[in-house]
Amino acid sequence: MATPQGYGWSRGRSTLASIRLCVLQFVADPQWLIPSMIAPVIFGLVAFGLFANSGPNFLVYAILGAGMMSMWGQTLYGSGWATGQDRVWGTLEPTLQAPTPYLYVVLGRVLWNVVSGLIGGLIVYVVVVTVNGAAPTLPNPAEFALLFVFVMLTLASVGTLLAAVYVYTRFAGFIQNIGEFAFYVGTGCMFPVVLLPFWTNPIALLFPPTWALDALRYNGIPGYVGFSWGFGWDLVGAIATTAVYLGISTSVFRRVERQVLEKGSLGDY
Amino acid sequence: MADPPAIETQRLTRVFESRKGFLFTEKTRTEALRGIDLTVEQGAIFGLLGPNGAGKTTLTKILSTLLLPTSGSAHVLGYDVTTQVEHLRPRIGLVLGGERGLYNRINARENLRYFADLYGVPRGEREHRIDAVLDRVGLSDAADRRVEEYSRGMKQKLHIARGILHGPELLFLDEPTIGLDPKSARETRKLIRSLVSDGVTIFLTTHYMFEAEELCHRIAVLTKGRIAAHDTVAGLRQLVGGDRTIEIEDYGFDDDELAALRALSGVSKVVTEEFGARIRATIRIHAQRPTTEDIRALLSNHATLALRERRTSLEDVYLDLVEEEAN
Ligand SMILES: Nc1ncnc2c1ncn2[C@@H]1O[C@H](COP(=O)(O)OP(=O)(O)O)[C@@H](O)[C@H]1O
Ligand SMILES: [Mg+2]
């Protein structure tokens, strides 16, 4: 047989292969339908009950709160979880042994999760609007939608780095479960960060979604009072922190891989 | 320029440090490899033979870039396994085998497509290549079935298919027949032998002497992290030279009797094994005497003694080497 030598890998091809694998596994296993389809419905109903009649903009709050909650699960949790799954299945070793850097496998999963997170967000929107009987009046619907996608990308940047933790240790799931609540509240997924004790703010600002969500609220809620620096700097902060996250991910993954090869913990599960 | 050796290691060591417990951690230190000097030329099948825990998987993973050595150096196909990983990975294949390591919910073909992309099989050749390897390992008919429906033997074949998918120059097979039923094991060995005709060099680990003997041209015996012997099959036979082996079996032997056997001139070793109610003593002899008659005479009070002389096998050599290292 011919010897192809295996130099045909590329970043784009690996990322696409990873997305394809996500889709195939999704289709093969209907249990995925629960978090991706049913959870947003529940989140939407709960948030509607929680925020109902709590001011003129309650509808947007409900949509954002529930939307973020379901997207958090999909985008962030899903990306790291898939790497943990690679550990459990024993597929982490053959995948890392391939010439492609693992980062591009993770990127594929993150992108897939962004898409399913957006679908979750859409479900929340439909549920809340249906229950309410009317759509919220957004000042700039098109901008709002764009910002919404942008928030997903900031979540994805966190998800990418989180996957590195799953490569590093089989205890990542445990760590994430503890950190999840803090992150969820700390980044202002459910309610604005400015309502939290002041000391939490500097930590929250290390996470791109904190900035992006504040910008989203400025855009979608008339009279919203968030960070004092306002919408423009929120956007700058979100872009800058996301860029840093994605910028360091290559070297973070390279280091993490080196570490696990040194420790010999790649096969642990 | 002459081809570099397939594998060349110098004073290679690997130490595992692990912690047990949560609050009161206890550190354990395992020296899995204690200075491996090994050269494997390209071509044919090389066997690394050793008992469980000898360090076979550790060495395989270091050579295939899944583990870093603690000290020493290792070059594979001329590339340093720690610093030239990007050149090395496309050129080697690794089969760790087992129940795990595959995506069970999707079919074999999709598993191979995924890894073909990650391993950089040229896009235009991908489908053709997948068909070819599926055919090679005999999974063409099952290609579109989910891997979770596969038997252990079929999974092993799929592991091998993935290992050769990108046409590696060197293929690592870590205990390829472990856990397989005898028929699948035989098929797998046949498959491995056939791969050599593709020009791929194979580095195979096993804890079965007969498997190494059947498949490999050269064999290194690894025990407790050290290479105890490294030779051709014929060379290993030479190690025992004209040695003879006599096996005796009965319902037990006294310590005195065993001591008397060991004390006979010409006897280099007596090893006992239990077989249910019976004990077998294997006597290794490096001279013309004692003969079977001498031994029967010595144990004349054993009415039910079974006694036979046989040629010293490689299995015997292996067990001797492994045992020497343990003592
Ligand atoms: N990741 C690891 N962490 C700690 N100890 C390990 C690890 N991998 C292997 N070992 C130890 O190293 C030794 C050699 O193991 P291994 O290479 O798996 O042997 P073999 O494959 O020959 O059975 C064993 O004592 C084993 O317990
Ligand atoms: Mg092993």
Side-chain angles (χ1 to χ4, degrees):
Chain A
M1 279 189 271
T3 303
Q5 291 291 357
Y7 282 111
W9 78 267
S10 70
R11 296 176 180 130
R13 186 175 174 197
S14 303
T15 307
L16 280 177
S18 168
I19 294 175
R20 187 185 153 86
L21 184 70
C22 289
V23 175
L24 287 169
Q25 301 209 82
F26 179 84
V27 174
D29 193 349
Q31 79 165 27
W32 283 84
L33 282 173
I34 295 169
S36 59
M37 302 289 157
I38 298 173
V41 174
I42 296 169
F43 291 154
L45 292 175
V46 169
F48 185 82
L50 219 61
F51 288 100
N53 306 318
S54 59
N57 296 304
F58 85 94
L59 210 53
V60 182
Y61 274 105
I63 291 170
L64 283 184
M68 287 308 136
M69 191 142 167
S70 93
M71 285 169 14
W72 147 270
Q74 278 302 315
T75 306
L76 227 171
Y77 196 87
S79 305
W81 183 81
T83 297
Q85 212 49 25
D86 262 342
R87 247 183 202 289
V88 174
W89 290 337
T91 40
L92 190 57
E93 287 187 319
T95 310
L96 273 180
Q97 210 276 321
T100 300
Y102 191 68
L103 172 62
Y104 300 105
V105 171
V106 169
L107 276 184
R109 288 173 183 163
V110 165
L111 289 175
W112 160 251
N113 284 317
V114 164
V115 172
S116 50
L118 280 174
I119 294 171
L122 202 68
I123 294 173
V124 165
Y125 181 85
V126 171
V127 167
V128 173
V129 168
T130 309
V131 174
N132 185 55
T137 44
L138 290 168
N140 307 295
E143 277 177 28
F144 188 84
L146 268 179
L147 275 169
F148 203 82
V149 176
F150 177 64
V151 169
M152 298 294 307
L153 293 178
T154 64
L155 274 172
S157 73
V158 182
T160 305
L161 284 191
L162 191 67
V165 184
Y166 277 85
V167 176
Y168 185 71
T169 169
R170 69 193 160 102
F171 297 116
F174 175 68
I175 295 166
Q176 183 171 334
N177 283 331
I178 293 176
E180 180 167 2
F181 180 73
F183 181 92
Y184 181 66
V185 174
T187 56
C189 280
M190 200 71 179
F191 41 77
V193 175
V194 285
L195 299 180
L196 292 174
F198 177 74
W199 63 266
T200 62
N201 279 212
I203 301 169
L205 291 178
L206 295 176
F207 293 101
T210 306
W211 302 80
L213 276 163
D214 202 56
L216 187 66
R217 289 204 178 88
Y218 267 120
N219 181 274
I221 304 170
Y224 172 71
V225 182
F227 291 127
S228 55
W229 49 73
F231 175 81
W233 286 109
D234 266 348
L235 213 53
V236 172
I239 292 170
T241 46
T242 303
V244 169
Y245 270 55
L246 294 179
I248 62 173
S249 59
T250 305
S251 84
V252 165
F253 269 84
R254 206 178 291 140
R255 266 165 218 235
V256 163
E257 187 187 327
R258 195 86 192 165
Q259 283 277 321
V260 286
L261 299 191
E262 223 161 76
K263 270 200 308 174
S265 57
L266 200 53
D268 294 354
Y269 63 98
Chain B
M1 209 180 79
D3 279 351
I7 294 166
E8 193 170 27
T9 73
Q10 271 156 3
R11 294 186 298 282
L12 193 71
T13 73
R14 172 70 213 204
V15 177
F16 288 106
E17 294 196 349
S18 49
R19 280 168 217 271
K20 282 203 181 98
F22 182 59
L23 278 179
F24 304 97
T25 55
E26 192 188 318
K27 254 195 190 171
T28 53
R29 215 181 113 85
T30 313
E31 290 182 60
L33 299 176
R34 307 163 188 244
I36 304 288
D37 292 293
L38 183 67
T39 303
V40 176
E41 295 305 328
Q42 295 199 28
I45 308 182
F46 180 88
L48 183 70
L49 175 68
N52 281 335
K56 301 182 296 295
T57 301
T58 302
L59 183 56
T60 306
K61 285 188 180 174
I62 288 176
L63 297 175
S64 59
T65 77
L66 281 185
L67 190 65
L68 289 172
T70 303
S71 69
S73 73
H75 287 79
V76 171
L77 301 170
Y79 298 103
D80 188 310
V81 297
T82 63
T83 59
Q84 296 179 300
V85 171
E86 71 282 10
H87 296 290
L88 184 52
R89 284 186 177 163
R91 293 185 154 91
I92 58 174
L94 171 65
V95 177
L96 292 174
E99 286 284 354
R100 300 167 69 243
L102 299 163
Y103 291 100
N104 282 323
R105 291 182 190 143
I106 58 175
N107 65 34
R109 192 183 297 280
E110 290 294 359
N111 266 278
L112 293 177
R113 279 196 185 122
Y114 177 65
F115 283 101
D117 288 338
L118 296 194
Y119 274 92
V121 174
R123 234 183 270 256
E125 283 175 39
R126 191 182 72 175
E127 296 308 308
H128 162 75
R129 184 77 196 162
I130 289 171
D131 284 336
V133 295
L134 282 169
D135 183 52
R136 199 82 165 88
V137 302
L139 284 180
S140 295
D141 293 338
D144 299 310
R145 273 164 58 192
R146 284 192 189 198
V147 175
E148 63 195 357
E149 296 168 18
Y150 274 30
S151 69
R152 183 76 175 67
M154 289 165 83
K155 281 184 184 170
Q156 193 64 16
K157 288 175 182 170
L158 183 54
H159 275 291
I160 293 174
R162 175 175 64 196
I164 59 173
L165 185 58
H166 56 299
E169 292 164 45
L170 172 61
L171 179 65
F172 293 94
L173 299 169
D174 192 21
E175 306 220 36
T177 61
I178 198 165
L180 298 185
D181 60 86
K183 182 169 170 282
S184 310
R186 223 170 15 249
E187 283 173 17
T188 304
R189 279 195 292 275
K190 198 171 149 205
L191 169 63
I192 292 167
R193 225 175 297 115
S194 79
L195 294 177
V196 182
S197 59
D198 297 344
V200 59
T201 304
I202 294 176
F203 178 95
L204 168 146
T205 81
T206 177
H207 67 261
Y208 303 119
M209 181 72 214
F210 77 91
E211 187 166 279
E213 189 178 357
E214 186 185 324
L215 292 175
C216 305
H217 302 73
R218 289 181 73 86
I219 297 172
V221 177
L222 183 71
T223 150
K224 300 245 157 103
R226 288 203 178 83
I227 304 277
H230 175 194
D231 215 324
T232 56
V233 173
L236 285 177
R237 277 195 196 288
Q238 285 284 308
L239 272 182
V240 279
D243 281 13
R244 300 156 49 221
T245 297
I246 295 177
E247 278 177 3
I248 54 173
E249 227 180 276
D250 202 351
Y251 299 100
F253 299 100
D254 297 341
D255 287 347
D256 289 350
E257 290 170 335
L258 292 174
L261 283 172
R262 289 196 175 97
L264 287 175
S265 112
V267 170
S268 52
K269 180 172 228 165
V270 178
V271 190
T272 57
E273 272 174 289
E274 279 183 42
F275 281 90
R278 286 169 76 85
I279 302 276
R280 177 190 292 166
T282 306
I283 307 164
R284 188 95 66 248
I285 304 159
H286 58 78
Q288 296 298 314
R289 301 196 67 158
T291 60
T292 48
E293 294 318 308
D294 296 337
I295 286 173
R296 197 183 289 285
L298 189 77
L299 300 169
S300 55
N301 58 329
H302 284 258
T304 53
L305 185 74
L307 185 148
R308 70 183 184 108
E309 174 156 3
R310 61 172 173 79
R311 191 175 157 205
T312 302
S313 69
L314 276 180
E315 189 78 36
D316 297 321
V317 182
Y318 169 53
L319 291 176
D320 285 2
L321 285 169
V322 169
E323 213 167 85
E324 268 164 35
E325 196 64 34
N327 293 335

